[in-house]
Amino acid sequence: MAIPTYNQTLDTMVSTALETYSRDPINALTDSGEKFLKAAASQGRVFVVNDAETVRHPILYGHGEDSSLYTPDTLSGTPAVNNLSATAKEILTQSLFFMQAATRNINFPQSQPPGNLIDYVSSVVKANMMKIFNEEEVLFVVGAAASGSTFAARAPMSTDTDYSAGYPMSLASLFMSSSSPSSLDAGGDTTAESFAHVKGDDVPKWQPTHITGAATDHSTLFADLQKAIFTASYSEVERPTHVYMALGSYEKFLGLLRAYAALPDPVSTNLGKEGTMEFGGVTVDWSRYLAADAIFDVADPEATTATYPILGINWNSLRLNTVRAGSPGSDNLGFIRQLGDMQPHPTLTNLFKRIEWKRQWSVDNGRRSFFSINGYTSIA
């Protein structure tokens, strides 16, 4: 029996660590994710799917013939609708979300530090996984690979106007692409453009809900938020479940709550200590990566005024799809695909393991239960 080489031993440990984190992404997300990834995990909206070019979701947007209301034995009434035609009406379409991939090397020096090598390898792999999850959070919220970058709309399908190859769907695209009366360019209304291969002009219910704030300084946040929640709520499933905003907006929200709620001092002192608050049946939260930006300026077709985002999300509809890297019984059961064994760098003494993963956000219960409150350009 051949004795395993050093490379083979290290490769086995790295593979084992990758499988541990990759097979159970929900726990890994809970340990190291940010706000949106954690919410997706806690709401059961992280799915492992089979490898395919796109994720498809049906959209039921019609109902066929109208009904006639009439008195028995007399085919008349109000409205007098002729529903005896033979014309077929299309009632179903599909939204398409193009899967995107990413890859990186996990590098190791030729000689590891003294001590427990298993713990060291596990820590290196975990650090890489934590960075991957953090990058995925920023890609979704900002639309760029690094925080602090300019916000960008990244549409989910290659036929969409705002599509960018290699980038998964971003928040700006989810709320603004093919959304009346929003526009991401000077061309005017974008409902003639598609989001996930579906145009807002063709399926009006595919558009998210936009509410204009009664004031520009967040002073009417309570009333505006209540109106937006009610307007975007259609059923127990099709309704907003969470609201996300920038830190400054969230601090204003807590300040208004303390001022108007007349709470006892102990309660008022600890208000917001846990990081989230319940309001109108939804969870209000903030993200360190959200900030005022012109891309959230819905009212101006040129999108030139930096506007604070107040975004309502339906976690019964939004989901994160990760591609199964292998099949049961194979070496790659989780969502991280290992591309070959541990290899030496061509010109260095370091070793590396190449990995790849595929993922895409998607919406499987419509967009009208997602809302944005527009017009907040300052914080009083």
Side-chain angles (χ1 to χ4, degrees), residues 176 179 181-190 193 294-305:
M176 305 302 171
S179 172
S182 70
S183 177
L184 295 176
D185 46 42
D189 191 14
T190 58
E193 302 170 356
I295 203 169
F296 300 111
D297 179 14
V298 174
D300 182 5
E302 301 287 344
T304 57
T305 304

Side-chain angles (χ1 to χ4, degrees), residues 21-308:
Y21 293 112
S22 180
R23 283 177 178 169
D24 195 3
I26 292 179
N27 283 342
L29 288 172
T30 303
D31 288 342
S32 59
E34 291 287 347
K35 294 298 179 69
F36 290 89
L37 291 179
K38 284 184 178 180
S42 65
Q43 298 295 315
R45 301 298 291 174
V46 179
F47 293 84
V48 179
V49 300
N50 294 327
D51 196 2
E53 186 177 57
T54 60
V55 174
R56 299 168 177 254
H57 300 304
I59 303 174
L60 188 67
Y61 67 91
H63 58 83
E65 294 283 357
D66 293 324
S67 301
S68 289
L69 308 179
Y70 66 97
T71 301
D73 300 327
T74 305
L75 191 58
S76 64
T78 304
V81 178
N82 174 19
N83 65 339
L84 303 177
S85 70
T87 303
K89 295 185 179 181
E90 183 60 63
I91 63 171
L92 187 68
T93 187
Q94 285 189 333
S95 56
L96 306 179
F97 300 83
F98 203 86
M99 298 301 297
Q100 303 289 356
T103 185
R104 66 158 49 201
N105 288 344
I106 300 181
N107 297 298
F108 292 88
Q110 188 178 32
S111 59
Q112 276 71 45
N116 190 334
L117 186 57
I118 296 177
D119 289 344
Y120 170 74
V121 170
S122 178
S123 296
V124 171
V125 172
K126 183 175 182 178
N128 276 268
M129 296 295 291
M130 291 174 67
K131 179 60 176 177
I132 288 172
F133 293 139
N134 184 259
E135 286 178 345
E136 294 299 323
E137 175 90 1
V138 176
L139 280 170
F140 178 61
V141 178
V142 181
S147 60
S149 303
T150 301
F151 284 83
R154 312 289 187 185
M157 188 58 194
S158 56
T159 54
D160 298 340
T161 302
D162 300 320
Y163 175 77
S164 299
Y167 286 87
M169 181 180 74
S170 69
L171 264 181
S173 178
L174 174 62
F175 283 91
M176 305 302 171
S177 295
S178 188
S179 172
S180 178
S182 70
S183 177
L184 295 176
D185 46 42
D189 191 14
T190 58
T191 54
E193 302 170 356
S194 67
F195 171 81
H197 201 64
V198 178
K199 296 179 181 179
D201 283 345
D202 296 335
V203 185
K205 66 182 291 185
W206 189 235
Q207 302 171 35
T209 300
H210 294 295
I211 300 296
T212 300
T216 61
D217 60 357
H218 287 74
S219 59
T220 58
L221 180 56
F222 272 13
D224 296 337
L225 190 56
Q226 178 178 281
K227 179 181 180 181
I229 294 170
F230 289 163
T231 303
S233 296
Y234 295 89
S235 69
E236 285 301 309
V237 173
E238 197 175 9
R239 64 176 182 83
T241 60
H242 290 66
V243 176
Y244 295 90
M245 57 188 70
L247 179 57
S249 299
Y250 188 74
E251 290 175 334
K252 178 64 176 180
F253 173 79
L254 293 179
L256 290 172
L257 199 58
R258 291 189 178 99
Y260 296 141
L263 299 172
D265 288 341
V267 177
S268 178
T269 300
N270 293 311
L271 198 61
K273 185 178 180 181
E274 300 301 322
T276 63
M277 289 296 299
E278 299 299 317
F279 179 88
V282 305
T283 300
V284 180
D285 204 347
W286 63 278
S287 170
R288 72 184 69 230
Y289 302 123
L290 281 175
D293 191 272
I295 203 169
F296 300 111
D297 179 14
V298 174
D300 182 5
E302 301 287 344
T304 57
T305 304
T307 303
Y308 287 90

